[in-house]
Amino acid sequence: MNTENTGKKDERNLYLKNEDLNLAVTKYLALLSFAEAHQKGRVLPVIEAQGWVTKEPVFAKISSPYYNASAMDGICVEAMAMIGVDERHPRTLIKGSDFNFVDTGDVIADPYNAVVMIEDVIIKSDNEVSINNPVSLWQNVRPIGEDIVAGELIIPAFHRVRPIDLGALLAGGITEIEVMDKPRVGIIPTGTELVEAGEAMAVGKIIDSNTHMFAGLVKEYGGKARRYPTVQDDYEVIKKAIIKAVDENDVVLISAGSSAGTEDYTRKLIAELGEVVVHGVAIKPGKPVVLGMIQGKPVIGIPGYPVSAYFVFESFVKPVILAFNHQILTEGVTIKAVLSKRLMSSLKYLEFVRMKCGRVNQRFVATPLDRGAGVTMSLVNADGILKIPKNVEGYEAGEEVELILMRPREEIENTLVSIGSHDVLMDIVANIIHQNKELVNLSSAHVGSLGGIMAIKKGECHIAPIHLLDEQTGIYNLSYLKRYLADEGVVLIKGVKRTQGMIIPKGNPKNIQGITDLIRPDISFVNRQRGSGTRVLLDYLLKQKQLNANQILGYSREMNTHMMVASAVASGSCDVGIGVLSAANMMELDFIPIGDEAYDFVILKENLDDPRVQIFIKVLKSEQFREALKRLGGYELEQPGEIVKP
């Protein structure tokens, strides 16, 4: 960054304070000025009005139905002339004088004022029928205005038009309505390191994904997004971009630069051009948010980490957009769920935790995902959000908590919950389930093999993938079921044999040959988490070779998945990690095999007949699954889906 003419480089921001979320939102919304320009309406054809908000109430111009209409197929008659008709006194009617045939929706005109449904009519000839049931006045006739009466309110002011409203409006004779202009939201990406998706990447560069997410959310909540070109980290350049955006929009979002670094200019610029209302809110992730006003317009500085950015948008930008449209902020559908593991939190912040969730044995079970502010996939994979209030230390395993759902409840009801060891084959299974259009989702939480066994024991999952080596027998998995789950009534669903080994950079620059090289002082290592089968295997091999784990540089550095291990090696942050061949192949890395292992699935016998489990077993046995693993490499299939008793 060029700072010769700014004099701003060495200045560091300080948070004014960490406001409580609700207080910050209330304070900020109270300052918004809905100027007449923002509230100017436009007239739209009804058929184009979905998603827009009405400026004025809309009243019907005509009634619906517009005439007295037959409610069904039959004959129309004059009710008063049918007095006395019953089973003992049937009556023969002549077409044209006593009745006419009608279909549903046909006009019922004088002198007729009732309809006898065709099922109650005895046809004698083309011109003669008989009836033997009483007929009441206006029987089976839809009167004028039964649905909508001329002059009746169809939809009120400040109503967001839905598809069902379009039908009512058109039926009421309305072809055009006046709607409020959608709030214009300008989005400014900042950061010299940003590049657009598809451009050449380089070390130190980051693809700008946040502002595209913002644009999508703005549209979803009823605004009109305008995304500006990326602005480099230069005080004056960012200043000009903000001035332009404020002039052209009703709301301005500044992506990144809201924290306390020397190149985080958002707070200073908002203060210079207008007023900083709040800098720093007691939420996690998302605390560095800047809420400001420039020329009476809201200008919001949003942190650069993707998860922080999302929660700041949901917490502040969404209420602002809804307020412009006079819409009420609602929290969404919630459910009660049991935590599968202990979850601790800081006492300083309201924390948003992304959760996986599914129904297991008549209760919802929730497992936390990665809590890092930069882990975008934790949002993609989340089924719900758990809010841990400020001044609450967290929740214990088994405690019931409330989740705000990010997916329809029906999807979560139909989710097969897997908690245990990680393998990319679980993603393959999930994809095949969707390709086959099965109405089942597969939720995988990665807590290691031993964690999976404990989840089965506590009734928190349907299946638990495991690969645990018995050091005494050299046999995988079965002895652990006998040791930990002897009283639980479990069986093993056979999975795959997979190759474990040392994942190393292409070309093996450090000339690593085997496990003994891990204690070399020039070798950095990345490990799997405690309780994982891979960690058990490594410790077994170290014990066999009488190697001290304390001599391994990086033994305490843990990753939760094989892909994270492979990624660490590919990035150069370590020289070697232990993982499966498929992960090495996917990252185009070299691999030194150290052995084959059994990757199987523990399940309670009582859940074997669950349709979700049966679909899972069907996929394991499928040719699609076999071919997908063949392409990955590193797997052998020996009767996958076979049920084995311990």
Side-chain angles (χ1 to χ4, degrees), residues 337-640:
V338 174
L339 273 180
S340 68
K341 60 187 294 187
R342 190 183 192 198
L343 192 57
M344 302 307 294
S345 180
S346 166
L347 294 172
K348 296 166 58 179
Y349 305 104
L350 164 64
E351 186 168 2
F352 301 97
V353 184
R354 286 77 74 200
M355 309 291 290
K356 294 295 290 182
C357 188
R359 182 183 281 278
V360 182
N361 299 330
Q362 307 307 312
R363 63 177 184 170
F364 288 108
V365 177
T367 302
L369 291 163
D370 195 312
R371 294 161 80 175
V375 186
T376 307
M377 288 304 297
S378 68
L379 287 173
V380 175
N381 293 327
D383 297 316
I385 302 297
L386 168 62
K387 290 184 178 181
I388 304 180
K390 186 178 177 181
N391 299 323
V392 172
E393 289 185 335
Y395 302 105
E396 295 295 332
E399 193 168 346
E400 189 176 67
V401 295
E402 186 173 75
L403 301 188
I404 304 168
L405 294 186
M406 295 183 71
R407 300 187 197 279
R409 181 186 174 112
E410 292 76 13
E411 283 189 22
I412 296 172
E413 292 268 7
N414 291 323
T415 294
L416 178 68
V417 179
S418 168
I419 298 178
S421 174
H422 168 261
D423 194 285
V424 292
L425 71 80
M426 298 301 287
D427 295 330
I428 291 172
V429 171
N431 187 53
I432 291 174
I433 289 173
H434 283 282
Q435 284 181 331
N436 293 343
K437 299 181 181 178
E438 302 281 7
L439 299 179
V440 170
N441 296 298
L442 174 60
S443 167
S444 294
H446 312 130
V447 298
S449 296
L450 287 173
I453 285 177
M454 292 300 104
I456 286 285
K457 192 176 184 69
K458 293 186 288 185
E460 294 170 347
C461 63
H462 299 108
I463 60 172
I466 66 169
H467 59 109
L468 290 165
L469 174 66
D470 187 325
E471 296 182 9
Q472 303 301 319
T473 66
I475 297 174
Y476 272 87
N477 301 328
L478 290 176
S479 65
Y480 285 85
L481 271 58
K482 294 175 182 177
R483 186 185 311 171
Y484 293 105
L485 300 171
D487 300 326
E488 307 301 327
V490 299
V491 294
L492 205 64
I493 302 174
K494 293 299 293 179
V496 301
K497 281 189 176 179
R498 64 182 189 179
T499 304
Q500 283 269 20
M502 305 174 73
I503 300 176
I504 55 178
K506 206 74 174 172
N508 194 5
K510 292 289 185 76
N511 193 30
I512 296 170
Q513 300 299 315
I515 292 294
T516 55
D517 288 315
L518 295 183
I519 64 171
R520 282 168 42 187
D522 64 325
I523 299 296
S524 60
F525 176 72
V526 64
N527 210 345
R528 287 295 307 280
Q529 80 272 31
R530 281 172 289 183
S532 68
T534 302
R535 179 74 163 259
V536 172
L537 173 62
L538 172 64
D539 291 344
Y540 169 69
L541 294 174
L542 292 176
K543 183 178 178 181
Q544 262 193 338
K545 296 183 180 298
Q546 298 182 333
L547 299 175
N548 186 348
N550 293 329
Q551 292 180 272
I552 300 175
L553 180 62
Y555 180 86
S556 60
R557 183 186 177 196
E558 299 180 350
M559 298 291 178
N560 289 336
T561 69
H562 295 283
M563 290 303 296
M564 291 176 68
V565 170
S567 180
V569 174
S571 70
S573 70
C574 65
D575 300 311
V576 60
I578 303 293
V580 292
L581 175 57
S582 57
N585 288 343
M586 290 177 72
M587 298 295 292
E588 299 182 344
L589 297 166
D590 281 351
F591 186 82
I592 302 171
I594 58 176
D596 292 331
E597 63 177 13
Y599 184 83
D600 301 321
F601 307 94
V602 186
I603 183 171
L604 293 172
K605 289 179 186 177
E606 64 191 54
N607 288 332
L608 269 176
D609 293 331
D610 188 309
R612 294 166 293 187
V613 174
Q614 287 300 309
I615 288 171
F616 179 79
I617 293 173
K618 179 182 175 183
V619 171
L620 292 182
K621 294 180 176 181
S622 71
E623 189 61 28
Q624 284 174 285
F625 182 62
R626 185 177 295 273
E627 288 299 317
L629 292 191
K630 185 178 178 181
R631 288 191 294 271
L632 278 179
Y635 297 96
E636 291 182 23
L637 282 77
E638 297 179 358
Q639 297 180 306

Side-chain angles (χ1 to χ4, degrees), residues 1-19:
M1 170 195 157
N2 179 9
T3 59
E4 291 180 359
N5 59 358
T6 67
K8 309 289 182 180
K9 172 72 176 179
D10 295 327
E11 297 182 25
R12 182 171 294 274
N13 292 320
L14 296 175
Y15 295 147
L16 301 182
K17 55 183 170 178
N18 281 336
E19 295 266 15

